Structures are given as structure tokens and as C-alpha cells.
Amino acid sequence: IHCRSRPSPREGRARRDEEASAGNRVRIPRTPLGGPKDAIRGHAGCSGQMDLELHQLDRRYEALRTRSARRERHLLSSISEVGQQMPIIVVRDGAGWVVVDGYKRVRAVQRLGRDVVHAAEWLLSELDALVLERAMRGGDADSAIEQGWLLRELVQRFGLGLDELARRFDRSPSW
């Protein structure tokens, strides 16, 4: 694990302002730690960002996302030209790292023959991280099939019932 410096407050404000002006709105649910700033803190003084080798990543949820060859080519080209701009999101699982978001970036880095990816750790349980990532993407970013795959995984892996799923996603049980 290699620590990276975190963006300056000015860079963070500029990115938020740019996203706000583009009309991107993210609804972030409350987390067990109180909020996203508490959840997305640093790991061992690394300010939440680190470089991880690809062999350290557990990509167990990769099959829950659809693939787009066009988007993957575009991302591959971008990473090749300017490097990885956004870290992948990971959570700790024992001695390993479970990828929560960033599977396209991992595949692109791998296709470019690189063995290290930039990552940010969320200090949440695996379950809470999956729910938060889904909530941050919003309803337009994923398809009904991806939602179904995620719900099935949450039922099978974590034993959640329909009422609990509805509560966590702020939906009715009929959703």
C-alpha cells in the first residue's frame, strides 16, 4: 500500500462547484458513522487514498454491473492519455480489499498492463458501502437488471429480507 496525498480543499471545492453547476445531485443517506466524511476517512494516516496492487483486490461484485464496450474503450483511452483521475472505492475485508466501485477503471488499468490502481477506502461495513454506493449513483445510472442483481446479492450474502432492503434503500417493499 502506497499513501497518496489528498486533494487540497481548494481542489475539492472546485470539483464540487463543477459538479453542482453540471446539475449533478447526490443524495447521501446517513451512515452508521454519522455521515460521508466520517465514512470516507483515511486508512492509517493515508487520508483515505492509496495505491493498491491489482492482486490485492477482491472483485466479488463485478458481475453485478453491466458492461458497455464503448464506455470501456473511452475510459481506456482516457486513462492511457491522462492517467487514472478518480480512485476506485474499496472496503477492508480481513487482509484484503473488496472493490465497491470502479470495476471499469480496474479493467482499464489491467488492460494497459499496469499493476497498481489508485483507491479510496470507505470505513464502512461491506453491506453499508454497497448500499451507499448504490444510493450515490442514483436511479438513472444503473438499469433495473443491475438493481435486481444487487438486491439478490444482498439477500443471499447478507440475509436481508424485503422489508430491510426497502428500508435501507428508502423504498416501499413492493419496489
Side-chain angles (χ1 to χ4, degrees):
I1 299 173
H2 308 283
C3 296
R4 293 184 49 200
S5 64
R6 145 182 185 191
S8 72
R10 180 177 291 170
E11 292 169 331
R13 279 192 302 276
R15 182 181 299 153
R16 282 191 305 276
D17 292 345
E18 182 178 290
E19 289 172 354
S21 67
N24 296 335
R25 299 186 83 133
V26 176
R27 184 174 147 247
I28 301 175
R30 292 200 175 272
T31 64
L33 297 172
K37 287 184 180 179
D38 293 331
I40 309 169
R41 280 189 312 221
H43 170 71
C46 293
S47 300
Q49 299 226 357
M50 65 197 99
D51 289 338
L52 295 173
E53 295 180 9
L54 296 179
H55 71 85
Q56 295 176 286
L57 302 176
D58 182 338
R59 295 159 57 170
R60 68 180 69 155
Y61 300 112
E62 187 169 18
L64 301 181
R65 303 299 300 274
T66 58
R67 290 187 181 197
S68 165
R70 181 185 56 78
R71 286 182 180 168
E72 296 216 13
R73 280 191 308 271
H74 185 287
L75 183 62
L76 181 70
S77 173
S78 174
I79 290 176
S80 175
E81 290 175 19
V82 297
Q84 182 186 343
Q85 298 298 300
M86 295 291 294
I88 66 168
I89 305 300
V90 295
V91 293
R92 252 304 179 191
D93 181 30
W97 300 96
V98 176
V99 177
V100 174
D101 183 52
Y103 289 104
K104 282 193 287 272
R105 282 165 274 170
V106 170
R107 287 191 297 270
V109 165
Q110 190 171 27
R111 285 186 62 191
L112 290 169
R114 300 175 186 168
D115 60 354
V116 174
V117 66
H118 305 306
E121 178 187 14
W122 281 359
L123 299 178
L124 295 171
S125 71
E126 191 175 324
L127 171 60
D128 289 336
L130 290 168
V131 172
L132 177 61
E133 188 276 332
R134 166 61 183 85
M136 289 177 68
R137 273 191 289 132
D140 299 333
D142 60 352
S143 65
I145 192 75
E146 287 178 323
Q147 289 180 21
W149 289 339
L150 176 61
L151 295 175
R152 182 188 65 208
E153 185 71 20
L154 296 177
V155 167
Q156 290 175 349
R157 183 177 293 273
F158 300 102
L160 299 182
L162 294 178
D163 289 335
E164 179 64 14
L165 286 170
R167 187 188 66 75
R168 285 183 178 266
F169 288 101
D170 196 27
R171 303 284 186 143
S172 73
S174 63
W175 167 67

